[in-house]
Amino acid sequence: DHGAGMFRRVVVKLSGEALTGGDTHGLNAGTVQRIAADLVAASDSGTEIAVVVGGGNFFRGIQGATKGIERARADSIGMLATVMNALAIEAAIEAEGYPARALSAVPMPSVCQPYSRQAALHHLGKGRICVLAGGTGNPFFTTDTGAVLRAAELSCDAVMKATQVDGVYSADPKRDPSATRFAQLTHDEAITKNLAVMDTAAFALARENRIPIIVFSIAVEGAIRAALEGSGTFTLVT
Ligand code: UDP
């Protein structure tokens, strides 16, 4: 139990990688549908859900920059990648018979509603799952930082950070078998130990605004709801 009980409103951060379902890139339809069902189950339990989605399954600005595209423009490509993911998740949630709204920090009104705090709060209040695209809307940031930013401005109780492993480890558990999982950490420790689960800007913003981060594995079905309820394994960063 993370002691917080059931949360009133949270941001769920999904990386692009979570949507590949083991494929090398892109969207795996079955995986996207399974995650959508998870989100619906979590929302059904009474917690308002804003999903912040990454784009690394299509494009990362830093990688584009190494191939000669200037960083700011490469990051624009990355932000557009997150919009593709958001539309796919929005569609999958609706396919579950549940209301969802994609909102993009990079305005493209013919595709989805532009993000505004007021619009997001309106939809959340009506029980719709908001799928937030475009990260912060600025280059040189990540969607992890976008997730913490949205959690702060939407008065969320926590950021639920979905990863490929069930928490924060002392080293990469896929490479180092002696790596151990932290049950709990402070934001300070996450920054000073240089734990790679989120970037420093994201942790610093969470520390500044006292936003707990729950790091859990998205690999198991029902993982989002379980993490909300404090069951299963996770790392709590406070
Ligand atoms: N991005 C950006 N500003 C933001 C969020 C994202 O420029 O506020 C760009 C950046 O190029 C990043 C890409 O979008 O590499 C995809 O986001 P991210 O790497 O966070 O996705 P994830 O790793 O979660 O799949």
Side-chain angles (χ1 to χ4, degrees), residues 13-18 52-63 71-72 74-82 85 134-146 161 199:
K13 166 66 211 293
L14 293 177
S15 67
E17 188 188 6
V52 169
V53 66
N57 54 327
F58 288 118
F59 200 86
R60 282 208 176 85
I62 291 181
Q63 281 163 12
R71 174 71 188 273
D75 280 340
S76 292
I77 302 175
M79 287 187 270
L80 295 179
T82 71
N85 287 333
T136 66
N138 295 287
F140 298 97
F141 286 96
T142 64
T143 54
D144 281 347
T145 304
K161 158 86 176 164
D199 52 281

Side-chain angles (χ1 to χ4, degrees), residues 12 30 33 37 46 78 81-83 89 108 111 142 171 205 207 210 235:
V12 175
Q33 202 58 54
T82 71
V83 180
I89 295 168
M108 42 179 97
V111 167
T142 64
L205 192 60
R207 176 177 62 184
R210 296 193 172 78
T235 297

Side-chain angles (χ1 to χ4, degrees), residues 13-231:
K13 166 66 211 293
L14 293 177
S15 67
E17 188 188 6
L19 308 175
T20 60
D23 300 347
T24 54
H25 70 285
L27 290 160
N28 180 285
T31 302
V32 173
Q33 202 58 54
R34 205 255 306 150
I35 290 175
D38 264 25
L39 290 166
V40 168
S43 181
D44 259 341
S45 72
T47 302
E48 293 177 13
I49 309 248
V51 181
V52 169
V53 66
N57 54 327
F58 288 118
F59 200 86
R60 282 208 176 85
I62 291 181
Q63 281 163 12
T66 64
K67 291 172 190 148
I69 307 173
E70 66 179 313
R71 174 71 188 273
R73 195 180 304 205
D75 280 340
S76 292
I77 302 175
M79 287 187 270
L80 295 179
T82 71
V83 180
M84 293 196 273
N85 287 333
L87 295 178
I89 295 168
E90 179 190 46
I93 294 168
E94 287 177 352
E96 296 288 317
Y98 209 83
R101 292 290 188 280
L103 300 165
S104 177
V106 179
M108 42 179 97
S110 59
V111 167
C112 63
Q113 202 175 349
Y115 172 82
S116 73
R117 177 173 172 272
Q118 297 92 319
L121 289 172
H122 170 80
H123 294 310
L124 291 169
K126 292 207 174 266
R128 298 167 185 152
I129 298 175
C130 285
V131 189
L132 307 180
T136 66
N138 295 287
F140 298 97
F141 286 96
T142 64
T143 54
D144 281 347
T145 304
V148 178
L149 173 65
R150 296 304 180 229
E153 66 175 330
L154 298 173
S155 309
C156 292
D157 302 310
V159 171
M160 316 286 303
K161 158 86 176 164
T163 68
Q164 306 302 312
V165 288
D166 61 350
V168 184
Y169 282 75
S170 54
D172 183 351
K174 284 177 180 162
R175 288 183 195 171
D176 182 351
S178 71
T180 54
R181 187 174 53 81
F182 298 103
Q184 198 161 349
L185 280 168
T186 64
H187 294 118
D188 260 334
E189 285 169 330
I191 293 167
T192 56
K193 289 183 201 286
N194 228 339
L195 299 169
V197 61
M198 277 192 164
D199 52 281
T200 305
F203 278 128
L205 192 60
R207 176 177 62 184
E208 176 100 359
N209 295 285
R210 296 193 172 78
I211 298 170
I213 300 168
I214 292 165
V215 182
F216 68 103
S217 168
I218 191 72
V220 245
E221 213 164 321
I224 299 169
R225 181 167 181 164
L228 272 177
E229 290 170 344
S231 59

